[in-house]
Amino acid sequence: MSEMDLETVPAEDFGRALTGIGVNLLSPDVRALAAFLKDVFGLPAYQLTDDFAIVRHGQMLMQLHSDGTYHSHPLLGFVPESPPRGGGLQLFLFGIDPDEAAAKAEAAGHMVLEPPADKPHGLREGTILSPEGYAFSPAVPKA
């Protein structure tokens, strides 16, 4: 997927190229979620519109879709009206410094649910909630 121009790839070509596990987050405000991911974690968004965006972290791709794009999908009926939307889901962002991300999140008024800490499994990580309530955990190997 590294040869693909994520800003211009047609939807059909993009869909056919996806492999492995895909992450898709529903949002009432795709632009706000994309801004959160860029401002706090430095993750770029491609093909950003009110309804859709592709977000890249290394070789991993996430898709953001507006609630309205799921109008005929049965999953939309299970999405709560107010956050948190992703209860029980933790999205790790390996290679992103949790201390830097937490400082950026706090400065922007986002909730740092779990302050950065060294964990017994060898990582320093924290957990930051997106405006919708998705739990993003930046993590790096502990010193």
Side-chain angles (χ1 to χ4, degrees):
M1 200 146 330
S2 59
E3 304 87 33
M4 187 179 305
D5 181 350
L6 294 176
E7 197 62 66
T8 62
V9 63
E12 285 188 24
D13 293 345
F14 177 72
R16 284 190 201 112
L18 295 173
T19 61
I21 294 176
V23 174
N24 183 46
L25 300 179
L26 293 180
S27 175
D29 189 338
V30 169
R31 289 183 186 277
L33 181 54
F36 165 80
L37 293 169
K38 183 178 188 310
D39 295 345
V40 175
F41 305 111
L43 301 179
Y46 302 90
Q47 296 194 28
L48 178 59
T49 68
D50 290 342
D51 289 326
F52 177 75
I54 300 167
V55 176
R56 168 172 266 179
H57 177 50
Q59 293 301 309
M60 199 278 299
L61 299 175
M62 277 190 291
Q63 296 178 66
L64 311 180
H65 280 89
S66 70
D67 291 348
T69 64
Y70 267 59
H71 61 87
S72 63
H73 194 290
L75 182 61
L76 188 60
F78 290 98
V79 176
E81 290 288 322
S82 59
R85 287 183 168 221
L89 172 69
Q90 185 177 19
L91 298 162
F92 278 89
L93 300 172
F94 298 111
I96 294 179
D97 185 299
D99 295 286
E100 289 180 23
K104 290 176 183 176
E106 286 177 342
H110 298 295
M111 179 185 279
V112 176
L113 182 65
E114 179 187 33
D118 290 344
K119 302 291 182 133
H121 54 261
L123 293 175
R124 181 165 182 76
E125 64 186 61
T127 302
I128 301 164
L129 295 183
S130 74
E132 294 85 356
Y134 292 117
F136 288 91
S137 295
V140 294
K142 66 182 180 182

